[in-house]
Amino acid sequence: MPYAPTNPARAARFGTIAFAGVLVFALVCVAAQIFRTDLDWTTAPLSFYLLGAHGQIVKAAYVALAASLVSLGLGFRAACVPARARIAPALFALGGAALVVTAFAESATRPGPHSLEARIHGLASRPRCRWPRSHSSRCSPTPCCASARAASARRP
């Protein structure tokens, strides 16, 4: 199997950029949870911090995380990988683009029936429940989902 040319120094630079973006994202999100006293950090999903006070900073952190994904893909490509793995940077870039869309798409901000975007976002961000011993019963709503419904009902 042919291998693509490698550049370890370039891969290390991309890896450092990716790590820096993840670190920025983590620090901004922790700071947002500390400074946003109107949201309970144990039940409010991270997407709630995108709206309101300091929301623009959290959105910028999402963009930094998206850039980290792109950098991770480019670093993977610069490392010793088979030539057939050239699609990996594109997949990382696609994930980064989806993250930017997630940050800037407004969901569950209108009163009344939820939009399609809000439903997709709710399904994607919902914590997965543990199946009971008998698979016949349905999962109960999580506290996160209950707080999301309550917060969306309060929005104008």
Side-chain angles (χ1 to χ4, degrees):
M1 176 181 307
Y3 280 83
T6 63
N7 189 339
R10 191 172 173 186
R13 279 193 303 270
F14 282 127
T16 303
I17 293 168
F19 178 72
V22 170
L23 188 63
V24 165
F25 179 77
L27 291 175
V28 167
C29 289
V30 167
Q33 290 179 344
I34 290 170
F35 293 120
R36 289 285 303 266
T37 56
D38 59 324
L39 296 173
D40 181 14
W41 67 272
T42 59
T43 57
L46 195 54
S47 59
F48 281 15
Y49 293 91
L50 293 168
L51 303 171
H54 311 295
Q56 296 300 324
I57 297 170
V58 178
K59 287 179 183 180
Y62 268 81
V63 172
L65 185 63
S68 295
L69 282 173
V70 173
S71 179
L72 188 63
L74 293 173
F76 178 77
R77 179 69 181 103
C80 183
V81 295
R84 69 177 184 192
R86 291 182 183 172
I87 190 72
L91 294 175
F92 279 109
L94 182 64
L99 194 58
V100 170
V101 169
T102 300
F104 287 97
E106 294 190 16
S107 59
T109 57
R110 295 182 293 234
H114 289 297
S115 65
L116 177 63
E117 298 90 8
R119 290 180 187 186
I120 292 171
H121 182 84
L123 287 173
S125 66
R126 182 176 160 183
R128 301 293 168 225
C129 60
R130 295 188 183 112
W131 284 99
R133 292 179 197 252
S134 71
H135 295 284
S136 60
S137 64
R138 297 189 64 161
C139 299
S140 60
T142 62
C144 177
C145 296
S147 70
R149 268 187 253 120
S152 66
R154 288 191 300 261
R155 291 192 184 127

